[in-house]
Amino acid sequence: MSGAATKRSPQWHLFVPKLITVLRQGYGPADLRNDAVAGLTVAIVALPLAMALAIASGTTPDKGLTTAIVAGFLISALGGSRFQIGGPTGAFVVVVFNVIAQHGFDGLVVATLMAGAMLVAAGLLRLGTWVKYIPQPVITGFTAGIAVIIFSSQVKDLLGLSLDTVPAEFLAKWGAVWENRGTIDPATLAVAAGSLTIIVGLRRVAPRVPGFLVAVCAGALAVWALGLPVDTIGSRFGGIPSSLPVPAWPSVSWARVTDLLPSAFTIAFLAGVESLLSAVVADGMTGRRHRSNCELVAQGVANVASALFGGLPATGAIARTVTNIRSGARSPLSGMLHAVFLLAFMLALAPLASFVPLASLAAVLVVVAWNMSEVERFRHLLTAPLSDRVALLLTFGLTVLVDLTVAIEVGVVVAAMAFMHRMAQAVEIQSHVKLLDEDTDDLDRPASDVYQPRGDLPEGVVVFRITGPFFFGVANRLSDVLDQIGRPPKVLILRMREVPLIDATGVGALAELVDHCRREGALVILSGVQEQPQRVLDTMGLTNAPNIIFAANLEAAVGIARHRTTPRPATATLVHAR
């Protein structure tokens, strides 16, 4: 083998921002126009959302805007994803509220700085590959729990209840709401209901219209025109400033660092997991590949900068990233322009923000909480194996009733113990598969492909073999299959005889691949599926997919593929084995 073939890329290539990759590949006026339109669209969506999330976190609305502007710009400029949109998200509401309640806003700034440093260190140590492998039941459990907490925190502003202080604990909070149910304000309830109706209605009849912004503007107009006596940003917070604050270094002591370490770790963990999940979603929609460790470094730098400007923790926002892609974004410049547009809105429209009713922002957060809850996915995971269901429900319950950090720790431990139990049941099966994939290098990519086609296969048919347990730690590898072969073939055969077990995350990854092939008109054949994977696939409904077939072995699978890719007489019939 030649020296050129064995030459390894410099490690620093993996930390080159995707922005540089895009510019090196060529960037023209048409790309800039698409990015500007996408950036403006996302900014319109992010404007009311940033303020609402800041208020729900127990601080002022301008903190949310500052975060979206400063952190949003840096996440896009330095990150490892082409389409990531960063800013404050619902996942941080609970932890931020608790940190502010216990340590004040200065404590939050220090915790965010520490979390930023942790994220940079995690990226430089190339731990991004590990952060991605959090089991799906744990992720769904704590996001659904956060959704319940966010909704609970907005009941006071939705109903206009006369509550001087709202208890932080979940059960105590609902007890206080019930005790004060007689103080519901009709005007506040009407504004909230109207705003919620506008958001839901526009999503059904005109989904491209920014429902959040329309609802907030309509609520502000109604309060101003009718003189409704409801709480607004102006009455509670005195409005928002029309400029960014001057960056400042907080007071840091060793005692404070020690006290804030658990909170900083939680912030870093949430930022890392959510940003990489968002990047994975963007990859699935666009066919691109993000660099996880570069993304973590960008998230860390962005959180440090946000803290210095007096902002909140930030991460990649899945909903805004999806909006960015659907709006025609071409590069990270769309995210950078989204931050620039938000700054322009802040400079020009700050006086008008005083009229925004808190009931309208509460309606926005109710919709955010519903989206976060992922009810369908939660319900689907309830059909998973018992250990996955235990991890899901335990993480959800602890998030709502105890503490987010405890919920994550316990959920991961339960999932790990369940995995070890499964491995103990399958000790006779050995796997020689490399479980963890490294980031790819766009600057020095090998010319040869990983996949080598079999010479005896019909044209348009490819075969891949999965070896070893298909669990949450390796499920993401399945997304690399189509990357390796380029355009989806006519028939994709997955050999699964050496897969002794599969869990809910593995089923989810397999379902995504099957759905992607369905959209491309490709057939998926699973050959040699063992008893446990077959049972889980049946229970979770994947066997009902219209473009999936099961074959007893590889020979039968190739026969089915040959039949599907070769013209046959009209009277021919097909029989396959499960």
Side-chain angles (χ1 to χ4, degrees):
M1 184 175 293
S2 66
T6 59
K7 180 182 178 181
R8 299 190 62 178
S9 304
Q11 294 299 314
W12 63 266
H13 281 193
L14 299 179
F15 297 95
V16 174
K18 282 290 183 177
L19 177 64
I20 304 300
T21 301
V22 170
L23 296 179
R24 290 178 70 251
Q25 292 174 347
Y27 189 85
D31 298 313
L32 179 60
R33 182 170 59 254
N34 279 274
D35 282 337
V37 172
L40 179 60
T41 303
V42 177
I44 291 173
V45 173
L47 180 64
L49 200 54
M51 293 190 294
L53 289 170
I55 294 173
S57 300
T59 184
T60 55
D62 59 294
K63 305 296 186 185
L65 291 175
T66 298
T67 307
I69 293 168
V70 175
F73 185 90
L74 292 174
I75 286 172
S76 295
L78 304 177
S81 172
R82 288 174 180 258
F83 307 103
Q84 185 83 280
I85 299 295
T89 67
F92 286 125
V93 167
V94 178
V95 63
V96 169
F97 186 92
N98 290 337
V99 172
I100 293 176
Q102 296 175 19
H103 304 282
F105 190 80
D106 289 343
L108 175 66
V109 170
V110 175
T112 306
L113 274 174
M114 295 167 59
M118 291 178 185
L119 287 167
V120 172
L124 294 178
L125 293 172
R126 302 178 67 177
L127 299 180
T129 314
W130 293 84
V131 174
K132 291 184 290 186
Y133 303 133
I134 305 300
Q136 191 176 87
V138 175
I139 294 173
T140 302
F142 76 68
T143 53
I146 291 170
V148 171
I149 294 174
I150 291 176
F151 172 76
S152 302
S153 69
Q154 297 307 301
V155 173
K156 174 181 180 295
D157 287 333
L158 278 173
L159 304 179
L161 299 177
S162 297
L163 272 171
D164 294 332
T165 58
V166 181
E169 295 77 13
F170 178 78
L171 296 179
K173 183 178 300 180
W174 278 101
V177 168
W178 180 253
E179 291 176 0
N180 290 270
R181 63 190 182 278
T183 64
I184 294 176
D185 179 54
T188 301
L189 180 60
V191 172
S195 300
L196 196 57
T197 301
I198 290 173
I199 295 171
V200 175
L202 286 177
R203 287 198 169 191
R204 293 189 176 184
V205 302
R208 297 184 68 87
V209 176
F212 287 164
L213 187 63
V214 172
V216 168
C217 291
L221 183 62
V223 170
W224 173 77
L226 301 177
L228 298 178
V230 301
D231 284 343
T232 64
I233 288 179
S235 64
R236 183 174 295 184
F237 303 105
I240 62 174
S242 57
S243 63
L244 287 176
V246 176
W249 187 264
S251 174
V252 181
S253 65
W254 180 250
R256 171 165 276 198
V257 168
T258 303
D259 290 342
L260 291 170
L261 190 60
S263 299
F265 175 79
T266 303
I267 293 171
F269 177 85
L270 289 176
V273 170
E274 189 165 2
S275 65
L276 296 182
L277 284 176
S278 179
V280 168
V281 170
D283 289 350
M285 294 179 65
T286 62
R288 300 288 186 173
R289 292 287 301 276
H290 75 282
R291 287 192 288 270
S292 55
N293 295 301
C294 178
E295 186 65 26
L296 287 183
V297 171
Q299 296 288 337
V301 173
N303 274 278
V304 169
S306 178
L308 294 179
F309 277 88
L312 307 174
T315 186
I318 296 177
R320 276 161 274 175
T321 298
V322 171
T323 301
N324 186 42
I325 294 171
R326 290 176 176 171
S327 301
R330 300 284 182 85
S331 77
L333 280 170
S334 62
M336 298 164 65
L337 290 172
H338 129 271
V340 173
F341 284 126
L342 280 176
L343 178 60
F345 293 157
M346 187 177 186
L347 297 177
L349 304 178
L352 300 179
S354 297
F355 296 99
V356 173
L358 299 182
S360 293
L361 294 179
V364 168
L365 287 174
V366 167
V367 177
V368 170
W370 173 258
N371 293 338
M372 285 186 64
S373 66
E374 297 184 293
V375 174
E376 290 302 320
R377 175 172 291 186
F378 195 100
R379 185 182 296 121
H380 182 60
L381 285 173
L382 290 176
T383 65
L386 177 62
S387 57
D388 288 319
R389 281 179 277 162
V390 170
L392 171 73
L393 296 175
L394 193 58
T395 306
F396 174 77
L398 290 175
T399 299
V400 173
L401 299 175
V402 182
D403 178 76
L404 184 62
T405 306
V406 173
I408 294 171
E409 293 171 349
V410 172
V412 171
V413 169
V414 169
M417 293 178 65
F419 167 69
M420 289 185 287
H421 176 68
R422 290 169 183 158
M423 293 302 96
Q425 294 177 321
V427 291
E428 70 277 12
I429 303 298
Q430 293 184 348
S431 172
H432 301 287
V433 177
K434 183 181 180 183
L435 298 185
L436 300 181
D437 289 333
E438 301 298 333
D439 290 344
T440 57
D441 179 5
D442 288 336
L443 299 183
D444 191 10
R445 203 165 190 166
S448 62
D449 207 340
V450 176
Y451 172 70
Q452 299 296 329
R454 291 166 50 103
D456 59 342
L457 292 177
E459 184 178 356
V461 179
V462 296
V463 178
F464 281 83
R465 181 178 65 183
I466 303 176
T467 305
F470 196 37
F471 67 107
F472 60 82
V474 296
N476 78 305
R477 295 197 63 194
L478 199 56
S479 64
D480 294 341
V481 170
L482 294 182
D483 291 332
Q484 294 176 11
I485 62 177
R487 182 179 179 83
K490 295 179 182 178
V491 179
L492 174 64
I493 299 175
L494 292 180
R495 301 178 62 184
M496 299 185 64
R497 186 168 300 280
E498 297 183 57
V499 178
L501 61 89
I502 189 171
D503 68 359
T505 308
V507 174
L510 190 58
E512 290 180 5
L513 177 66
V514 171
D515 186 63
H516 183 81
C517 289
R518 178 189 59 78
R519 294 196 300 268
E520 297 290 339
L523 176 70
V524 178
I525 302 177
L526 305 184
S527 71
V529 181
Q530 295 192 39
E531 180 181 354
Q532 193 274 351
Q534 183 70 66
R535 184 173 63 252
V536 175
L537 293 175
D538 287 337
T539 303
M540 299 192 70
L542 187 60
T543 53
N544 298 324
N547 65 317
I548 191 170
I549 290 178
F550 291 80
N553 50 50
L554 178 61
E555 289 70 24
V558 172
I560 296 171
R562 183 173 287 111
H563 181 92
R564 290 299 182 98
T565 56
T566 304
R568 297 282 182 178
T571 57
T573 59
L574 172 65
V575 177
H576 65 273
R578 285 185 61 167

Coordinates of all heavy atoms in Angstrom, one line a residue, residues 413 415-425:
V413 N -28.2 5.1 33.8 CA -27.8 4.0 34.6 C -28.8 2.8 34.4 O -28.3 1.6 34.1 CB -27.7 4.3 36.1 CG1 -27.5 3.0 36.9 CG2 -26.6 5.2 36.4
A415 N -30.7 2.3 31.7 CA -30.5 1.8 30.4 C -29.2 1.0 30.3 O -29.2 -0.1 29.6 CB -30.4 3.0 29.4
A416 N -28.1 1.4 30.9 CA -26.9 0.7 30.9 C -27.0 -0.7 31.6 O -26.5 -1.7 31.1 CB -25.8 1.5 31.6
M417 N -27.7 -0.7 32.7 CA -27.9 -2.0 33.4 C -28.8 -3.0 32.5 O -28.5 -4.2 32.4 CB -28.6 -1.8 34.7 CG -27.7 -1.1 35.7 SD -28.5 -0.8 37.3 CE -28.8 -2.5 37.9
A418 N -29.8 -2.4 31.9 CA -30.6 -3.2 31.0 C -29.8 -3.8 29.8 O -29.9 -4.9 29.4 CB -31.8 -2.4 30.4
F419 N -28.9 -2.9 29.3 CA -28.0 -3.4 28.2 C -27.1 -4.5 28.7 O -26.9 -5.5 28.0 CB -27.2 -2.2 27.7 CG -26.0 -2.6 26.8 CD1 -26.3 -3.1 25.5 CD2 -24.7 -2.5 27.2 CE1 -25.3 -3.5 24.7 CE2 -23.7 -2.9 26.4 CZ -24.0 -3.4 25.2
M420 N -26.5 -4.4 29.9 CA -25.6 -5.4 30.4 C -26.4 -6.7 30.6 O -25.9 -7.8 30.3 CB -25.0 -5.0 31.7 CG -23.9 -3.9 31.5 SD -23.0 -3.4 33.0 CE -24.3 -2.5 33.9
H421 N -27.7 -6.6 31.0 CA -28.5 -7.8 31.2 C -28.7 -8.5 29.8 O -28.6 -9.7 29.7 CB -29.8 -7.4 31.8 CG -30.8 -8.6 31.9 ND1 -30.6 -9.6 32.8 CD2 -32.0 -8.8 31.3 CE1 -31.6 -10.5 32.7 NE2 -32.4 -10.0 31.8
R422 N -29.0 -7.7 28.8 CA -29.2 -8.2 27.4 C -27.9 -8.9 27.0 O -27.9 -10.0 26.3 CB -29.6 -7.1 26.5 CG -31.0 -6.6 26.7 CD -31.2 -5.4 25.9 NE -32.5 -4.8 26.1 CZ -32.8 -3.5 25.9 NH1 -31.9 -2.7 25.4 NH2 -34.0 -3.1 26.1
M423 N -26.8 -8.3 27.2 CA -25.5 -8.9 26.8 C -25.2 -10.2 27.5 O -24.7 -11.1 26.9 CB -24.3 -7.9 27.1 CG -24.4 -6.6 26.2 SD -24.4 -6.9 24.4 CE -26.1 -6.8 24.1
A424 N -25.6 -10.3 28.8 CA -25.4 -11.5 29.5 C -26.3 -12.7 28.9 O -25.9 -13.8 29.0 CB -25.8 -11.3 31.0
Q425 N -27.4 -12.3 28.3 CA -28.2 -13.3 27.6 C -27.7 -13.7 26.2 O -28.2 -14.6 25.6 CB -29.7 -12.8 27.5 CG -30.4 -12.6 28.8 CD -31.8 -12.0 28.6 OE1 -32.0 -11.1 27.8 NE2 -32.7 -12.5 29.4

